[in-house]
Amino acid sequence: MATTTSIIVLLKFFASRQKNAIVDYTDFCEYLKRYSEHHLEEQPSLACYLEDPVPALQTELDKLIDSKLIMIVNTTPDKQGIVVVPFYIERFTERYKDIAVTPSLPFPSEADLPKGTPKEIITRENAADLIGRLLKHQDLNEKTLYGLMLPNNAPSILLPSTVSVVTFIEDAVGKIQNMLKKEEHHDYFLKKLTVSNPGREMIVKNFFNAFVDRPDHSLETLSQTTESFYLWNQLCFFIKQDYEKIKDYTQEDLSCLQAVYITEVGANYFKNEAAESAKKEGAIKALESLLLKPPYYFTFDEIIKFTDNKGLPLLGQYSEEELKEYLHKKTQDAPVQELPELLVFKTYDDTRYFIFKSKVLQLILRLCTDARVSVLEAIKNHWSEVLRQFDFLPEMKDQKAFESRLEKEIRIQSPILSALLHSSFLPLLSYDASGGDDTSKISLFVNGHLLPYSDILLMSRQELLNDAKIMLPFWYSMPVVSWIAKMLFRPPKSKRNKTQKTKAEKYREEEEAKRKEDETTAMLSQNATVSKKVAFREAARNAEQSFVPTSSTLNRELDSYEKIWNQRLGKETHNNLTEDVNSLIRDYIRKTLRTMKVESFTTERIHSLAESLMTAPGLQKIRERDALLMYIQLYMVKLVKNIPM
């Protein structure tokens, strides 16, 4: 053997030379001393074993005892022996190699251990628990000799940790196949399987013959939830049923019964894994469908809270690590010269959002339409106030300053739109967009540069200035009068051009005031109906936070989604359709609130109610289903939030 200082290697060699796993302590000390003398020049570290090897050896043996590779036993009152566990592991590993070639050989059991072998070298575990754990993860090593405990007091099986559990299951299946090849068993179990499946005789026969004649496909049958898997379970049941009735077992009978137990454990594991995999796959599909629905952009914290159509959280059907792995894969993997399917962008407050590539331009189009109104109104009101104070802003005359003001206003009124327009992937996405829906034909770049914000929002500086001037009293256009008024009424410079609150900020303040008013009403009122209405209004405000971004308002979001799903031409036709849908929602929510508890009015419940209403015949002809669903949810929140006292 090669020179080594590993005591466990020397113990294994010494045990194999004497063909006994129990090594006499004194004999091994002598052997170790001679070995050290012979190999001292090659391994100077052996010097500690030259004179008195016991102290140094005992230190090494204590480590091996802790790792359960050896045991110290008293072979006689005066002698100690070292039980070398890897010796047994190697021996039984060879046994499994023989079983793979000759399936009729029995599985190793405790009876195969030599007399005097301590039973403590066996790590006893329930077969189902051990096989399930090893199938998930197994490190092949020489450290453990497992004793698999089987049902119905069947003899336990010894399994060394050097043998793959997959190989172990294949050996068990091979034993069953070997038994079924015998004529008396072949015809008997084929008949039982055929009788229990009337009308499917040909399917059963094909399965049975394929299973018996093709051992290389046996494990594949176990690991798939197909019709063959169902027939295999039946076959195992029939074999086990017959063999458990035997009173005087032969070694072959016991071996076959053990094999059935082992294969059933493996089959159940694969069945559960297949079910979990199907469940996880369904949850991932539900996740993808939710990511493709409005508002199309989501933070990781929002994705974690996604639920399926039954209201059950998706997180739990897959783990958080699997979710992160899925998102990482979707945001990284992509064909050459193409963007990944899922894109990531950040707003100015470093909030990270995920959005599908196919929804980016569609979202930008909606946000631009939405932002145009709010930006135009904000700038017009601001300019009008500045002009009212007889002041002037550079952006009113300079186009470059006007573009900077638009950029700043978009960042305030629609941070998501601003982040998307400044994202690194937008130029590539606009370049790649060719064909598909109408949004893919929109060009946001010219010569590699983003279009001016005035072009994106279809906004003219001069027209905006004219609109702001129109809002002023008529005498502002009279030079002499306006000059005199400017001298008399123009406020000090420190009080001019103050930053105004956005419409969203004013809306939040109004909502907070209404909330406090409702709290006061609930405290003063003794009426249970009033208290319930206040509670519903509060629940609606809480739900609103999930549907409406902080930079927007409820009415603004409603108008935005209405423009998407209601594409009827003509003002009267458009308004009539909106009113019909609103009436349908009002009637539905009125009936629902009669029996609904306040605590159940949550975002999940609102989503469920909206999906139920979507099935109404009157809404089936509306094509933009996602936008309509979002509109219904928002309108439900609005109705409940404004319940009259």
Side-chain angles (χ1 to χ4, degrees), residues 223 225 269-285 317-318 322:
S223 58
T225 54
Y269 172 83
F270 289 123
K271 179 183 177 182
N272 293 335
E273 284 291 300
E276 285 295 319
S277 178
K279 183 180 178 181
K280 193 179 301 179
E281 186 178 340
I284 292 296
K285 287 182 179 179
Q317 300 178 45
Y318 48 68
E322 289 170 333

Side-chain angles (χ1 to χ4, degrees), residues 143-187:
K143 295 181 178 180
T144 313
L145 182 62
Y146 295 109
L148 278 70
M149 295 182 292
L150 301 174
N152 295 332
N153 296 320
S156 60
I157 300 174
L158 297 181
L159 178 67
S161 54
T162 51
V163 176
S164 166
V165 70
V166 175
T167 302
F168 179 51
I169 295 173
E170 287 177 341
D171 289 343
V173 175
K175 286 180 175 295
I176 297 174
Q177 289 171 323
N178 186 60
M179 179 270 292
L180 292 175
K181 286 179 181 178
K182 297 178 181 179
E183 187 175 347
E184 65 276 13
H185 292 124
H186 182 283
D187 296 341

Side-chain angles (χ1 to χ4, degrees), residues 544-582:
E544 181 184 356
Q545 296 175 8
S546 301
F547 294 115
V548 181
T550 54
S551 60
S552 185
T553 66
L554 181 57
N555 287 334
R556 180 174 159 187
E557 292 298 304
L558 278 167
D559 292 341
S560 177
Y561 286 108
E562 181 192 341
K563 291 172 184 174
I564 299 175
W565 66 262
N566 190 350
Q567 299 177 359
R568 295 294 176 89
L569 299 178
K571 184 177 180 180
E572 184 177 352
T573 307
H574 180 96
N575 291 342
N576 288 340
L577 177 58
T578 300
E579 182 55 34
D580 289 342
V581 172
N582 290 348

